[in-house]
Each structure stands twice: as C-alpha cells, then as structure tokens.
Amino acid sequence: MSRNRNMDIKFRNRLSYQQAKQTVFVAFLLGLILGAVQIGMDLVKERRQMDSTIVQIVGMQQDSAARAAYEIDHVQAANVATGLFQYHAICEVLILDDFNGVLASKKRTLPESWVSKLLELFFQKRKSYDFPLIMEKKEPIGLLKVTVDSYHVAENFFSRAGLILVSGMIRNIVLAFILTLFFYYSLTLPLLRMIKKLAGTDPARPAEEILEEPRGHERNEMGLLVQTINRLLRGFEKSLVTRERAEKALRESEEKYRSIIENATEGIFQADNRRFLTANTALAQLLGYDAIQTLLDEVDHIAKLFADIKAAKNLYRRLRRNNKVANFEFQAVRQDDHLIDLSINVHAVCDENGHVKYYEGLVEDITQRKQAEKLKIEKDAAEAANTAKSEFLANMSHEIRTPMNGIIGMTSLILDSELSPEQRSYAEAVQISADGLLSIINDILDFSKIEAGKMDFETYDFDLRPAVEEMSEMIALKAFEKGLEFACLIQPDVPSRIRGDAGRLRQILTNLAGNAVKFTEKGDVVVRVSLLQKTEQSATIRFAVSDTGIGIPTDRLDRLFKSFSQIDISTTRKYGGTGLGLAISKRLVEMMGGKIGVESHEGKGSTFWFTLVTENLPPDHAPKSELPQTVRGKRILAVDDSAINLEVVSSFLKVWECEFQVASSAKTAFPLLSKAAQIGNPFQLAIIDYMMPDIDGEMLGRMIKADPQLKETVLVMLTSRGMRGDAANMKQIGFSAYLTKPVRKQQLFECLVKALSGRKTAIGQQARPDLITRFSLSRGKKVPVRILLVEDNEINRRLALHMLNKAGYPADFATDGLEAIRMLTGNTYHLVLMDVNMPEMDGYETTRIIRDPNSGVMDHDIPIIAMTAYAMRGDRERCLKEGMNDYVSKPIKPAILFDTILKYLPDQNNILKPSPDLET
Amino acid sequence: MATSWTATPFGKVLKLSVLLCMTTPALLQAQSITICTDRNYWYPYTYEEQNIAKGMHVDIVAKALSRLGYQPIFTPLPWKRCLQSIEVGLYNAILSASYKPERARYIHYPPDGGISKQSEWRVMQVEYVVVVSRRDPYEFDGNPATLPRPVMVPLGYSIADDLRELGIEAKTDPSTIRIMKELMQTQKGVVITPPMNAKALMDDPIISGSLRINHLPFTSKSYFLGFSKTKSNLNLPEMKRIWDEIAAVRNDQAFMAQLFQRYAVKADPNDEP
C-alpha cells in the first residue's frame, strides 16, 4: 500500500509537468524578449522607411514644385500638391515662393483611432519635412513643406507587432501541451516503471531483477542511469558472491597451507630463542632427523646446528636488531655430522606491545647451488683466460699481417724481376715460407675469433659463379704446379645470385680445395657446385671438392673436423699445417646453417662436401643479352684427355647452344675433324687441351693446320701449364686463342666470340690476328685511369705503387687522410685505395669527408677500396658503412686487388658482352 | 575783418579740385537701369535666347536708353516673377507691360497709360488676331462671347488674363505651333495670338493653307516700359524723358524698318517641326 502511495504522484509534482513548465516559461520569456527586440528593430526600420519614402516621393515632385515657384504658377503648384497627396501618409502640402507667396496649400484630416494614441508613444504623430526649391542649382526660389501623419505607417507596424505577440502566445500554449505530453511519456513513465521494478527487487539477490533500458533512452542519461543501477546491482551481488567465495577460499587456503607446509621442500619452522617450537618434515629431513618430533626434542639449542658459531651469533645479532633476516647463508651440521649449505629467511612475530612472541622462518638447502657457483666462477675464469688469449692472438695477428704484407709483396716483386737461379730459389723459399706463415696466422686468427665468439657474418647479395671461379683460379695454380688436373664445374641450374657471406664461402672452399691439392700427388681435383634442393623461399646448394689423393682411413674420419687434429703425426710432419682448417670450416658451415661431411676411401681419394642454404633472390636487373649469332649453333670439337675437363667445357657449350662433340685424345679427334670436313659439315672451332698422352695439343694443332681441309678450323688452346714463350709458339702454329685452366665461363665465352669473329674478318683482311689470351681479354676492359693510393706505411706504399704501375695503372699517393683530401680537391681520380689505420686522419674520417657534398672534393662518388691489415669481419662491414665501396685485406694479393679494381672502373669494351646465362 | 580761408585763392583752387574729384566719376560712368523682361516666347516682341532678353521691344528700349546715356541691364524672367520682382523692388523697370489698374499700384505708367487705347509713350501697340480653321466659317464680330471653344492662347500672354476677366476660359500652352496644329487637326475653336506670330507660323509647310486669320482683330493693346514704384533710381521727369525718347525711336522710320526686317522670319524655337 505504501509503495503504491509513493508512486501516486500529483500531476503538479510530476517531473514531466515541472520540466514542461520550466521550459515553457523560459521559452515564453525568450519569446517575449526576442519579440520585443524584433518589434523594436521593426520600429526603427519603419521610421527609416518612412523618411526614405517621403524623400523619394517628394524628390519626384521637387523639380515640378521648383518650376512652379519660379514661374509663380499656382496651377502647376496645385498639381504638385495633388500629386503628393496620392501618398496617403501625407496630410499637408504647402508650396511657397521666394516672395512668401503661397503657391499651393493642401490639407486633409486622417481618422483618429486607438492606434493614434499608441502612435504618440512610438512615433511623432505628425512629422514635417522642408524641402528648399532650387532652379538650376542657384539660390532657393521657394519652399516645399510636407507634413506626414504616421497613422498609416503605425497601423502596419502595430498589426505586425500584435501578430508576433499573439502568435508567440499561441505557440507557447501549444508548446506547453506538447512538452507536457512528451516529458510524461519520455521521462515520467519510464522512471515510474524503473521505480516499480526497483521496489520489487530482492535485496538478497539484487542482480536477479535487472532493469531494462527504456526504449529510445539507450544512449542518454536515463540509459546511463539504468546501466549504472544495473552495474551497482551486479556489483552488490558480485560482492556478496565474492565474500562467500572468499570465506570458502579462506577455509580451503588454510587446508592448503597446512598441506604446503607439510609437503614443502624448504624447511619451515617456528622457534623461540633456543628451540624449535614447530617444524615441517622437510626441515627435519634437511637436518638429518627421521621425524619432526625427534628434531624438536633433540635440538636443545638452535645455535648448535651452525658449523661456525660466529655465523650463529651474527644471525642472532641481526635478528635482535631488525627482527628480520633475509637470505642468510650458513653451513649447518646435520645429525649425521655432514655439512650442508643452508639459506634462512626468518622474522620475529610480535604481540601488540612489540614484544617478540616467537620467530618463524624458512630454510632452503643451497648446497647444490653453492657448488654450481663455485664451478661457474672457475669456468668464467677459464673462459676469460681463453678470451684474453684469443684477443691477444687476434691483435698479434694484425701486427704480424702488416709486415707480412711487405714480405709477401716484395717477394712477389723480386720474383717478377730478373734473378739468378739461386736467387730465385731463395726468393721462392721466402715466398713459400711467408705464404705458409700467413696461412697459419689466418687459421689461428679465425680459430681465435670462433673461440672468442667474435666470428661475425655478413649478409649481402653476390654472384656465386665469379666467387667460386676466382677461388678456383688460385687453387688451380698450385694444382698445376703439382701436375694435377683441376676443374671447377658449376651446374647451370645453380642460382647465380645468392645471399650470404661470399668471403666465408670462399674461405671454406679454399680450405677444402687447398687440402685436396695438398694431399693429392697425381690425378685431379674437381670442385662441383650443384643445386640440391629448391623451394619457393630458399635453395640448398651443395659444394663438393673431390680428389684422387691419399684418402682417409674410415676409423680416422671422426677426428677430421676436430681442432688441432690431423690423420696422424706423420701426416703433420709430411704435409705441415695447423690442423685447424677443417675445424674452422666445420664451424663456419654450421654457423651459416649448413652441413659438412666427407666420403673417403683410403688410397683412392676423398670428397669433402658442404651445403649452404640461401634465400631465393630475384634475377639480376640487368637486361638479358641475346646470345650472339657468332657462337650459337657453331660446330665445336672439344679435345681433352681429362673427362672432367670435357664435362666442364661441354656444360658451357650446351648452354651457349653450340653443336659440339668431344674427343678424349688427339687420335680420336683428328678423324672426327676430317670426317666432318669430308661430308661438308666441318667443325668451325676446336678447343684443345695441351697436355695429352701420345699426341699433345700442340701437335694436334700442327696436324690440323697442315691439313688443307682443316686449316680453316679456329683453334683454341686450353692449358694448365702456362709456360713463358708458349703463347708465341701457339700463335706461330696457328692457334687463335691460348687460355690457361681453369677457364672461367665468361672468359671462354668472350674468347669464342672474339675468335669466331676474327675468323670471319681474317679471310679477306687480316691473315693472322693477335692471339687471344687471358691477358688480352682482361686488357680489353682496362681503361686509362688515375688512382690515388692513400697509405702511411712506406713499405706497403712502395709495394702497392709498384703493383699498380706494373699492372698499367698510374697512381699518385698520399701519406695520410688530410693530404688525400687536398689531392682529391684539386685533381680528378677514378678510384681511391684507402688504408684504414693512419695517423692524423684515418681512412674512415677521410671517407666521410670525401662523401660529404659540402666538402671541396671534386668527385664525392669516387669508388673507394679499403686496404687494411684488420681482418676481423666487422671491419669490412664498418668500411662499407662508412661509405667505402669495397674491402681488400692485407697482405694484398695482386689478383684480388686488380679484380676488385676492375669491378669499379668503367668498361670500355663494347664488343664483348657478358654471357647471358651468367647474368641469371 | 576776418576772411574765410575758402575765399582765398588757395581755397578756391582746393574747392574746385574737390568738386572735380566728386563729379568726374559720375560724368564718366553711365547710369544703369535694371529691367526685367518676359522670358516667354512672345515673338517678335520679347523673348529669351540663352538667358538673354531679345525682341523688338528690347531693341527699341535699349536704343532709347542708350541715346539718353543710360545703360540698360535686361534680365529675362517668367512674367509673374517679373511682376513680383518689380513689386518688391528687385528691378528698376519692367518691359513690356500693358496697363492694368492693379499693376499701377507698383508700376509707373506713362501719363496716358490708363486712358488711351493707343498711348503716345508706348513701346509698341500689339494687336491680337483670331485664327480659325480654313473650313471653319466663323468670323469674329467684336463679341468675345461668340468665340468658338476652346479658346487657345500662348502661355504668358496677358490676353489670357483679359479673356478670363471676360469669363472665357483660355487654354494656354508654352508652344504656339502646338496649339496651331491642334486647331488644324480638330478644326474646332480658335487661337488668339499676335498677327506677326500667326503669319510666321502659318507659312509653315505643315500648317500652310489649313488655317486663316479673321479680319477683325480681337483686341489691340499698348505695351510700356514701366518703372518700379518701390525701387526706382529715376524721378518722374527722367521717366518722362525716357518715354519721350522711346516714342522718338518708335517714330524713327529707318530704325523700325530695320527692326521689322530683322524679326520678319524668325520661327518659334519651342515649335515642333
């Protein structure tokens, strides 16, 4: 009943009525003010309008009135007055001449009404206007007086004002009614429903009766109010539930706590100053007691558990001072007299007066941790010593490299000069020793870096084929010196461009191939590169180095890749070396994500292989050249007793779409050539190996040139011998080209293009063109250039200048960075060879200034090649980061230096284009 | 016995010198007379061209005054303004005013101005003739009441007032040729105008042959040079001497012959073609 009484709200007290009343009142007040403003503005406007109208009307008649005054024409003046009376507001017109004579006078009376009385409040009832009459802009000749009765103006004004007020009143009444209804349905009714619902809510389960948001009020204050009430209701219920749960959890927690204490691995106790009051099983076990009670009974003073009584005193003292001790470590004596390392956390439990009631704490067995810490300290010390050793080796290696550069370079220069056999022998011994020493230093350096964890890898895109071929060329020299065949076979499907560290790849290959040559006395060494697997994202490439050497016993294979390990001591004595090469290679391959392995048969030879996983790269952006017609479809015969060499050459010829055949000896080759010529389909070119049993390449060449049917055949000699004077001899016999093995694909391609082109022109114009050699091919790319060498070390400077001059590159030099900047400011150079470590201004700073567009250097984009004895991997990266284009490590190898230089010099050879498949 | 210093030879010379100084400018400078004239086109008697008073009356008065050593200053004004100006004394004289008793309150007329129908001291005697359509048989018999209506008069002519005094409403128009054309087209009513004016306009090729002039003039009036009673720098003998001289000029046959010849063919500038 009381609930219903509360909801029975009188109409005048209802929110809808109150809201509507206030709104209407405000609207009425505003309407009144705005209406008054509007009426006021209308009044001002009407007054102005009246003045303006009178001036306009009189203006139309003023000339006529002036003429009447001038003529003293009463008739015309009367006409003017009559004309002005057409405007109802004018109630009097008087026209006077300048003799004060009245020319016309007209009056009328307007009706009086309630408006007239109001009129005087807002307007002058009558308003007079005087207009002087002037003829031809001379003196006034009369006066026109017009009197206006404001009745007409005011009547319109009051009508409008009345309309505004009445319409405002009506609008407010209608608004009041509409708003009352609107507020009733939009406010009062939803609120009444909410109140009804809330009144029926069970206080014990408030969230059971969730309020519904009134329709249309979901996003306004009422919706928010409902949401807030609902949230509060839910909150109340949640609090109730939480409290119930908390009480339950507390009960469960107490049970769990008891269980935790009982089952904890840490010892937990309560104690007074002397004895344990309570303890868990773990503590009893830690201290060597069978049961808790035994512990409580037998330990009459806790201090007796401490192996060192001083530690006990220390703990008691700190506990008294702070009432709390954390992570206090000590050695305890178990019941069985064994020592144990413990860590204790203990605090005092006090009463409300601050007096200690008892102590409670936690004891942890840290014996194992303590032992581990001891071991770690020992290990860290050992590792630090090892790192220091590695760093020392790395630094020492750099210090050794600098003079080594001088030794190796100068020896190389000496060997290029005229020497007596004895002197040459000595110099070669020096060179071999220096190379050996350098190899050892390199191995030690790399091993040190690996051990020191400082081996870094660079990741960049590079061409695989030139990288492998460059390496092959270097190894091939050693192989040929030993009378071994050497070949490098890169399968055509191997991606040309890969991403990785070319330097490390070259290092591994060089090591494996170098070993192969070292341990092979006869036969051949072959480097094979093949595509093992290719997915959309990556390619797995297999590199294999096969030899026909001594092989490795099966039981020694597992020792191969270990540090300082060779097959046996006799091997070390016979072949030398540190035994680090394979270990380094294994670590490098594994660090690059690949695998390394060996297959070997003792006495037959070995195959060392490794794999490399690389990202698939898009093909080079350079446009793919068309295969020149000079090579495509040409009939070519390849003659070599080495099957692997024939395979290499065949793979090239196949790619170039030549029609080719192979012969394994001169005896089989000659009949093939003759037969082809007889049937009118002769071979246009023959690639002939020099060293063949029975009939060598030279003899075969002579036979071909002596045969009238075959003498037009273009001959290309491939040799691994490369003796002085051979080239001239071959030219004399009639060979068009003379290349040393292993021949690069691009090199052979250029050679064939040139040789076949020369053959055509030779018929009519040139009987004997120049012999094509590796030198002539590379010379074709060489252009007149000017190089600036920046080097502070005099020996190295002299060495480098000599190398450059000898290779046909004129060079100037600067002894430090400042001098280099000066020279680059006033002169034009094509390339800079930059030492990194220099006094005054180092190579990095010098490079930054050269690259700075605000510096005075003439060419800010000039290629800069770093030359440094720092061989750490990060050094190359830093050189490139500082703006240098490339990096050559010391000791400088002429071949590497000039290959690098050639990369950055303009190519003027417009005749020979790269082989198309080399670019893909 | 004391002798006045003015009787001394020096005094006599001084008095003579002062008299000479006082009289010489008056002797050297002619006395000017301001005269307002009717600016309405009352050809050939008075009219205005570019704000300059012209006409036979103006020439006669100018000749007479110059003979007497006066310098006339003519100002053309609307006729009523001219009369008002004389009344308040803005000008010395008015040209050409017929005699009317109410005007005589503020204008000096010659002695016979109000008595004789043809005054001895007039500037000129002006007749008004009755012009009718050639098809209209009406012939004026001296009785104004018989005049066919409407009676049309050029604006500003005093004959309009005379007609109103006779109870005849006169329709006035600033353009004489316009009322002549209206008469020609409507063939109703009459136009009353001076004969010289009528003849000149009837020679117009449009009107020629359409209208005719009644034999009996409607009226004949003397027109005078009247002097302001409010502001006159002349006394009555001087006025009389001027009126005498005007009569003398009017009687100068040679001068008048030239005058008639000069104004014989002048057309009304207000007339439409």
Side-chain angles (χ1 to χ4, degrees):
Chain A
M1 284 293 284
S2 77
R3 190 185 301 166
N4 288 338
R5 199 165 51 243
N6 289 340
M7 289 176 64
D8 187 15
I9 303 167
K10 283 181 182 175
F11 175 74
R12 292 173 67 86
N13 292 340
R14 281 184 180 172
L15 197 59
S16 54
Y17 172 77
Q18 305 258 341
Q19 286 293 315
K21 189 175 76 175
Q22 287 164 8
T23 309
V24 169
F25 176 72
V26 171
F28 178 75
L29 204 63
L30 271 175
L32 209 62
I33 294 166
L34 292 175
V37 171
Q38 190 177 345
I39 289 166
M41 287 170 69
D42 197 20
L43 177 65
V44 172
K45 187 182 166 192
E46 199 65 56
R47 281 176 178 169
R48 285 183 185 160
Q49 183 68 34
M50 189 173 78
D51 291 347
S52 164
T53 306
I54 293 298
V55 169
Q56 265 185 328
I57 288 168
V58 173
M60 287 190 290
Q61 297 285 347
Q62 202 169 356
D63 283 350
S64 300
R67 182 157 293 282
Y70 185 60
E71 302 276 355
I72 315 197
D73 187 342
H74 291 80
V75 176
Q76 194 178 350
N79 288 338
V80 169
T82 306
L84 289 172
F85 260 54
Q86 296 297 312
Y87 183 54
H88 296 295
I90 294 176
C91 62
E92 187 174 347
V93 175
L94 184 64
I95 303 174
L96 302 171
D97 62 21
D98 51 344
F99 304 105
N100 286 326
V102 176
L103 293 172
S105 174
K106 210 169 170 78
K107 268 188 185 178
R108 65 178 160 201
T109 309
L110 293 169
E112 288 286 328
S113 70
W114 62 273
V115 178
S116 307
K117 290 168 186 165
L118 271 174
L119 203 61
E120 292 178 12
L121 284 174
F122 298 100
F123 293 90
Q124 281 177 275
K125 191 180 177 190
R126 287 174 187 274
K127 187 173 181 184
S128 292
Y129 300 84
D130 287 352
F131 299 94
L133 300 174
I134 297 165
M135 270 295 284
E136 297 169 357
K137 298 181 181 175
K138 292 180 182 170
E139 291 296 312
I141 51 162
L143 184 69
L144 172 60
K145 286 176 78 77
V146 175
T147 304
V148 176
D149 191 313
S150 307
Y151 172 78
H152 283 284
V153 177
E155 190 176 33
N156 291 335
F157 163 71
F158 283 120
S159 299
R160 283 198 301 275
L163 188 65
I164 288 168
L165 290 173
V166 170
S167 66
M169 293 284 284
I170 293 168
R171 191 178 57 215
N172 279 330
I173 290 166
V174 173
L175 183 67
F177 180 71
I178 292 169
L179 284 177
T180 305
L181 279 179
F182 176 75
F183 285 133
Y184 176 74
Y185 283 105
S186 64
L187 290 177
T188 305
L189 210 55
L191 283 172
L192 285 173
R193 285 180 188 147
M194 281 165 56
I195 292 164
K196 190 176 175 184
K197 188 115 181 183
L198 275 176
T201 302
D202 179 5
R205 283 287 176 269
E208 278 184 358
E209 293 289 333
I210 293 300
L211 299 180
E212 287 178 10
E213 289 170 357
R215 190 181 298 168
H217 290 282
E218 291 83 358
R219 295 175 183 276
N220 63 17
E221 292 85 344
M222 196 173 293
L224 194 62
L225 176 66
V226 169
Q227 288 162 17
T228 309
I229 290 170
N230 284 340
R231 196 162 58 244
L232 284 173
L233 291 175
R234 287 193 195 98
F236 291 151
E237 183 145 324
K238 196 174 174 184
S239 297
L240 289 171
V241 172
T242 306
R243 207 173 83 187
E244 286 170 5
R245 282 181 188 161
E247 286 169 358
K248 189 180 173 190
L250 187 62
R251 286 194 298 274
E252 288 172 357
S253 173
E254 282 173 359
E255 289 297 321
K256 202 183 289 177
Y257 180 66
R258 193 181 305 281
S259 172
I260 287 169
I261 290 173
E262 286 304 314
N263 298 311
T265 54
E266 290 84 9
I268 298 167
F269 66 90
Q270 289 180 325
D272 59 18
N273 283 331
R274 293 172 61 85
R275 302 176 71 98
F276 289 112
L277 301 177
T278 61
N280 65 349
T281 309
L283 182 64
Q285 287 172 351
L286 276 178
L287 296 173
Y289 293 91
D290 298 334
I292 296 168
Q293 196 55 49
T294 316
L295 172 73
L296 300 180
D297 293 342
E298 291 187 6
V299 179
D300 58 351
H301 201 298
I302 292 169
K304 289 182 181 175
L305 291 171
F306 284 70
D308 184 355
I309 192 65
K310 286 180 184 172
K313 286 179 178 174
N314 187 15
L315 175 66
Y316 275 94
R317 187 170 58 250
R318 286 168 62 182
L319 201 53
R320 275 197 298 276
R321 192 189 305 149
N322 303 324
N323 276 353
K324 188 166 84 174
V325 175
N327 299 323
F328 185 86
E329 294 178 2
F330 64 98
Q331 276 196 316
V333 184
R334 284 165 54 95
Q335 192 189 27
D336 55 9
D337 290 336
H338 279 103
L339 290 177
I340 182 172
D341 286 303
L342 296 177
S343 170
I344 186 169
N345 287 285
V346 60
H347 66 271
V349 178
C350 301
D351 60 15
E352 59 270 18
N353 298 319
H355 298 128
V356 177
K357 285 163 65 180
Y358 58 88
Y359 297 96
E360 61 184 17
L362 199 136
V363 178
E364 186 186 358
D365 182 1
I366 58 168
T367 308
Q368 284 185 350
R369 198 185 81 198
K370 281 284 180 189
Q371 286 172 353
E373 281 174 4
K374 274 183 197 168
L375 286 173
K376 187 172 182 305
I377 290 165
E378 288 166 7
K379 188 184 167 204
D380 287 349
E383 282 178 351
N386 196 30
T387 305
K389 179 186 74 183
S390 299
E391 285 178 358
F392 169 74
L393 286 171
N395 289 333
M396 193 178 70
S397 170
H398 170 256
E399 294 304 318
I400 293 166
R401 272 172 177 276
T402 304
M404 281 299 292
N405 185 41
I407 295 167
I408 292 173
M410 286 302 175
T411 310
S412 174
L413 295 179
I414 290 166
L415 283 169
D416 282 348
S417 63
E418 290 295 328
L419 295 173
S420 68
E422 191 177 10
Q423 286 170 328
R424 182 167 294 281
S425 165
Y426 294 158
E428 282 173 352
V430 170
Q431 191 179 41
I432 290 164
S433 303
D435 283 344
L437 184 55
L438 184 63
S439 172
I440 291 164
I441 290 165
N442 284 341
D443 281 354
I444 291 169
L445 176 65
D446 283 343
F447 191 74
S448 304
K449 279 187 286 190
I450 290 169
E451 290 297 307
K454 290 186 175 178
M455 178 62 83
D456 298 319
F457 289 87
E458 292 176 69
T459 302
Y460 52 93
D461 301 346
F462 66 95
D463 288 339
L464 178 65
R465 191 175 295 276
V468 174
E469 285 177 342
E470 275 171 22
M471 181 282 304
S472 297
E473 279 176 5
M474 287 194 298
I475 299 297
L477 286 173
K478 291 179 181 173
F480 297 146
E481 280 171 11
K482 287 183 75 174
L484 300 173
E485 280 294 340
F486 185 90
C488 173
L489 179 60
I490 303 171
Q491 296 296 337
D493 58 347
V494 173
S496 180
R497 284 174 60 73
I498 65 169
R499 179 168 293 170
D501 191 328
R504 289 298 167 203
L505 173 65
R506 198 183 289 120
Q507 183 181 358
I508 299 163
L509 271 176
T510 305
N511 181 262
L512 297 182
N515 279 351
V517 172
K518 194 195 293 185
F519 296 109
T520 304
E521 295 304 327
K522 61 178 183 179
D524 51 48
V525 173
V526 183
V527 175
R528 283 189 173 82
V529 183
S530 56
L531 179 66
L532 205 61
Q533 190 184 5
K534 188 171 185 182
T535 64
E536 282 186 8
Q537 288 80 29
S538 64
T540 306
I541 301 168
R542 185 177 193 270
F543 301 83
V545 181
S546 306
D547 63 58
T548 53
I550 57 175
I552 305 156
T554 312
D555 60 337
R556 302 287 172 86
L557 282 174
D558 58 338
R559 294 170 57 182
L560 268 180
F561 294 102
K562 291 181 179 172
S563 310
F564 307 103
S565 170
Q566 290 191 339
I567 301 170
D568 56 33
I569 195 72
S570 62
T571 310
T572 309
R573 274 201 301 275
K574 186 176 179 184
Y575 296 103
T578 57
L580 286 174
L582 286 175
I584 291 168
S585 295
K586 182 173 189 288
R587 295 290 289 271
L588 291 177
V589 168
E590 286 170 353
M591 288 168 91
M592 289 195 288
K595 291 178 181 173
I596 191 166
V598 60
E599 295 149 12
S600 184
H601 299 284
E602 192 173 4
K604 290 185 177 175
S606 310
T607 298
F608 284 82
W609 58 267
F610 67 93
T611 59
L612 190 69
V613 180
T614 174
E615 281 180 51
N616 279 337
L617 293 176
D620 199 349
H621 295 297
K624 188 170 181 175
S625 305
E626 290 298 322
L627 204 60
Q629 292 298 323
T630 31
V631 175
R632 178 187 284 160
K634 291 292 180 289
R635 279 180 56 72
I636 295 172
L637 180 67
V639 188
D640 199 321
D641 63 319
S642 164
I644 189 66
N645 278 333
L646 280 179
E647 190 183 342
V648 171
V649 173
S650 297
S651 72
F652 295 164
L653 296 175
K654 193 174 176 184
V655 172
W656 300 331
E657 298 175 17
C658 299
E659 192 185 323
F660 68 93
Q661 279 186 277
V662 296
S664 60
S665 67
K667 282 181 181 173
T668 53
F670 195 78
L672 278 173
L673 288 163
S674 299
K675 191 176 177 185
Q678 283 166 10
I679 62 170
N681 190 18
F683 288 98
Q684 285 137 330
L685 186 141
I687 301 168
I688 302 169
D689 179 35
Y690 190 94
M691 297 287 285
M692 289 188 291
D694 300 330
I695 302 171
D696 64 13
E698 182 182 340
M699 180 56 73
L700 180 58
R702 288 181 191 279
M703 287 162 66
I704 291 167
K705 288 295 174 185
D707 189 323
Q709 277 189 312
L710 304 177
K711 66 179 182 183
E712 291 299 324
T713 310
V714 177
L715 299 180
V716 174
M717 173 66 80
L718 282 187
T719 180
S720 52
R721 207 176 65 162
M723 298 296 284
R724 193 178 289 271
D726 277 354
N729 191 27
M730 294 305 150
K731 186 181 176 186
Q732 185 65 37
I733 292 166
F735 278 87
S736 298
Y738 176 82
L739 299 177
T740 51
K741 289 199 260 185
V743 64
R744 291 192 190 195
K745 189 175 184 180
Q746 177 67 24
Q747 212 168 42
L748 184 60
F749 178 78
E750 290 172 6
C751 169
L752 294 189
V753 170
K754 208 164 183 178
L756 288 168
S757 306
R759 178 177 167 272
K760 278 185 182 173
T761 55
I763 293 167
Q765 298 168 9
Q766 195 177 348
R768 182 152 299 175
D770 288 340
L771 191 69
I772 300 162
T773 62
R774 176 186 291 207
F775 175 71
S776 73
L777 289 172
S778 64
R779 187 180 53 192
K781 293 184 178 181
K782 200 188 288 179
V783 295
V785 292
R786 206 168 164 202
I787 292 173
L788 178 64
L789 170 71
V790 189
E791 171 66 78
D792 65 315
N793 185 292
E794 191 183 347
I795 294 172
N796 287 341
R797 190 166 65 236
R798 280 169 53 194
L799 173 63
L801 283 173
H802 192 86
M803 281 181 183
L804 290 169
N805 285 327
K806 194 173 176 188
Y809 294 114
D812 296 337
F813 69 87
T815 54
D816 58 38
L818 286 172
E819 192 179 352
I821 297 294
R822 274 198 300 277
M823 293 180 75
L824 286 165
T825 304
N827 301 288
T828 303
Y829 291 95
H830 296 94
L831 187 136
V832 176
L833 292 172
M834 179 80 71
D835 184 23
V836 171
N837 192 13
M838 291 183 291
E840 298 291 339
M841 184 186 284
D842 66 15
Y844 300 137
E845 177 68 21
T846 311
T847 302
R848 278 198 293 275
I849 293 172
I850 293 169
R851 296 295 185 231
D852 182 0
N854 298 319
S855 71
V857 171
M858 291 177 77
D859 181 6
H860 299 291
D861 299 321
I862 189 168
I864 301 173
I865 299 169
M867 293 196 306
T868 176
Y870 283 106
M872 301 296 279
R873 303 304 298 167
D875 294 333
R876 178 191 173 94
E877 202 170 60
R878 186 173 175 199
C879 288
L880 299 179
K881 192 177 170 187
E882 295 288 352
M884 299 186 194
N885 300 76
D886 217 318
Y887 169 98
V888 176
S889 69
K890 292 176 182 174
I892 302 296
K893 298 279 186 188
I896 294 171
L897 175 65
F898 295 130
D899 278 354
T900 311
I901 288 173
L902 272 174
K903 275 163 66 178
Y904 295 96
L905 291 180
D907 184 0
Q908 287 189 345
N909 188 353
N910 295 322
I911 301 166
L912 299 173
K913 301 292 178 192
S915 170
D917 66 315
L918 291 177
E919 297 173 356
T920 56
Chain B
M1 193 169 123
T3 306
S4 169
W5 68 273
T6 54
T8 63
F10 175 72
K12 285 176 183 174
V13 172
L14 187 64
K15 277 200 291 186
L16 186 61
S17 301
V18 169
L19 188 65
L20 278 172
C21 287
M22 289 175 70
T23 56
T24 304
L27 291 173
L28 292 174
Q29 191 176 357
Q31 186 178 1
S32 62
I33 297 175
T34 57
I35 305 165
C36 70
T37 64
D38 186 1
R39 62 176 285 177
N40 285 321
Y41 194 72
W42 189 34
Y43 189 84
Y45 310 115
T46 57
Y47 61 97
E48 171 256 336
E49 257 183 23
Q50 297 178 337
N51 215 28
I52 295 169
K54 289 190 175 176
M56 294 172 75
H57 292 188
V58 174
D59 291 349
I60 290 166
V61 170
K63 180 83 175 172
L65 289 175
S66 62
R67 280 184 184 173
L68 295 173
Y70 294 103
Q71 185 188 356
I73 300 169
F74 294 99
T75 303
L77 287 176
W79 184 241
K80 284 190 177 179
R81 175 162 291 278
C82 195
L83 290 169
Q84 287 276 14
S85 301
I86 285 295
E87 189 177 358
V88 299
L90 291 176
Y91 295 90
N92 299 132
I94 182 168
L95 182 73
S96 305
S98 60
Y99 181 85
K100 285 185 186 294
E102 68 270 17
R103 291 179 187 169
R105 286 189 296 107
Y106 52 87
I107 295 175
H108 286 294
Y109 284 101
D112 62 347
I115 305 163
S116 172
K117 283 211 168 186
Q118 189 161 347
S119 169
E120 185 185 345
W121 292 287
R122 69 186 184 277
V123 176
M124 277 187 83
Q125 186 72 18
V126 177
E127 279 186 343
Y128 285 88
V129 294
V130 177
V131 180
V132 294
S133 168
R134 185 166 287 281
R135 293 186 181 179
D136 190 344
Y138 176 75
E139 194 66 36
F140 181 61
D141 58 0
N143 181 8
T146 64
L147 286 171
R149 302 297 193 270
V151 177
M152 295 175 277
V153 178
L155 179 69
Y157 287 13
S158 60
I159 191 70
D161 294 334
D162 297 341
L163 284 165
R164 282 190 195 103
E165 285 169 9
L166 292 169
I168 298 167
E169 187 58 37
K171 181 182 177 185
T172 57
D173 194 297
S175 169
T176 311
I177 195 164
R178 193 153 57 212
I179 53 178
M180 297 281 259
K181 281 179 183 174
E182 187 180 335
L183 178 63
M184 184 185 78
Q185 285 166 0
T186 60
Q187 299 177 12
K188 286 179 181 175
V190 293
V191 171
I192 297 176
T193 185
M196 279 188 75
N197 203 0
K199 283 175 186 168
L201 291 170
M202 282 169 72
D203 288 339
D204 189 284
I206 297 170
I207 298 171
S208 177
S210 302
L211 304 175
R212 67 182 174 84
I213 299 172
N214 280 190
H215 297 295
L216 187 63
F218 177 75
T219 187
S220 175
K221 293 168 73 174
S222 294
Y223 284 85
F224 305 101
L225 174 70
F227 291 96
S228 173
K229 288 184 177 178
T230 313
K231 182 192 178 185
S232 176
N233 53 351
L234 301 170
N235 51 32
L236 281 173
E238 284 171 328
M239 291 176 197
K240 176 72 170 47
R241 207 155 63 92
I242 292 169
W243 285 325
D244 287 342
E245 192 59 38
I246 288 170
V249 170
R250 195 185 63 236
N251 293 325
D252 182 344
Q253 294 297 322
F255 176 73
M256 289 307 285
Q258 284 177 4
L259 213 56
F260 277 104
Q261 193 176 4
R262 191 188 307 163
Y263 290 99
V265 291
K266 179 77 177 182
D268 181 353
N270 290 324
D271 288 346
E272 294 164 7

